[in-house]
Amino acid sequence: MKIIRRIIVVLLVLAVTAGLAAWGLLTYIKPQQQLDLAYTELSLESQLVDLIRSKKPEVRLSNEEINQLGKKAIAKHARVSPDITITGADFKRSGEDLTADVNLLWKNTVPVGAQMTFKLAWTGKELTVTHTGTHIRSFQVPPGLVSLAPVSISLDSYLPSIVHIKEVRFDPDFVVIGLTLR
């Protein structure tokens, strides 16, 4: 009888410990901020009018405009794997580096807050965004668990058909798009 009581006590202690560990893990990985994928369409027409006035053949995209482009790209591809769906994002850019605070839903039930890092590159026709890593707070997620395919964003679709993108530069405050006429 004593052995059965001890086994029951040990099992209860293990169950409570496992429950507390699971609760602690869920608390640790939950999102720290509310994010969404709502975005506003980018309009370069007003900048094109300024371009004509200033006679500089370039358009500057601010960090907020890059944020809107990123949200739009993710909204189209929110399900990044069978188990992971992105439910919100906020992008910050520094040169060619892009950081996204994202809210994920794992297995359609567990909310997770993460920070994803990307590299920006201009490939001649499209802005390519390549995933370079993921962190959940201070824990680096192994690349095999969360890996995103590179995303290409065509900027030509935001310009009139007679305008062609000559170059793209990543300045500290802006992404500068050099333009020419076709």
Side-chain angles (χ1 to χ4, degrees), residues 121-143:
W122 177 248
T123 60
K125 288 189 174 188
E126 297 176 323
L127 182 64
T128 303
V129 184
T130 306
H131 179 238
T132 57
T134 303
H135 285 81
I136 296 176
R137 292 200 188 182
S138 62
F139 174 71
Q140 182 166 354
V141 178

Side-chain angles (χ1 to χ4, degrees), residues 31-103:
Q32 300 300 303
Q33 55 187 327
Q34 280 200 293
L35 302 171
D36 60 32
L37 292 177
Y39 62 89
T40 56
E41 282 291 336
L42 183 62
S43 172
L44 296 180
E45 291 176 9
S46 63
Q47 288 195 34
L48 289 175
V49 171
D50 292 340
L51 177 142
I52 293 169
R53 286 185 191 142
S54 70
K55 298 179 184 172
K56 279 189 176 181
E58 62 185 34
V59 173
R60 296 171 177 259
L61 296 179
S62 68
N63 287 334
E64 180 54 31
E65 290 167 324
I66 294 296
N67 184 37
Q68 298 304 314
L69 281 172
K71 284 184 173 189
K72 180 179 179 179
I74 285 187
K76 290 181 180 178
H77 307 284
R79 189 167 210 73
V80 296
S81 78
D83 294 337
I84 299 172
T85 303
I86 298 176
T87 59
D90 184 43
F91 292 88
K92 293 171 185 64
R93 187 192 61 83
S94 176
E96 295 175 355
D97 297 321
L98 184 68
T99 303
D101 292 321
V102 294
N103 289 350

Side-chain angles (χ1 to χ4, degrees), residues 105-152:
L105 199 56
W106 182 64
K107 299 261 186 193
N108 289 329
T109 55
V110 180
V112 178
Q115 187 175 68
M116 300 176 121
T117 54
F118 301 90
K119 203 56 133 169
L120 298 173
W122 177 248
T123 60
K125 288 189 174 188
E126 297 176 323
L127 182 64
T128 303
V129 184
T130 306
H131 179 238
T132 57
T134 303
H135 285 81
I136 296 176
R137 292 200 188 182
S138 62
F139 174 71
Q140 182 166 354
V141 178
L145 288 178
V146 179
S147 61
L148 304 175
V151 175
S152 296

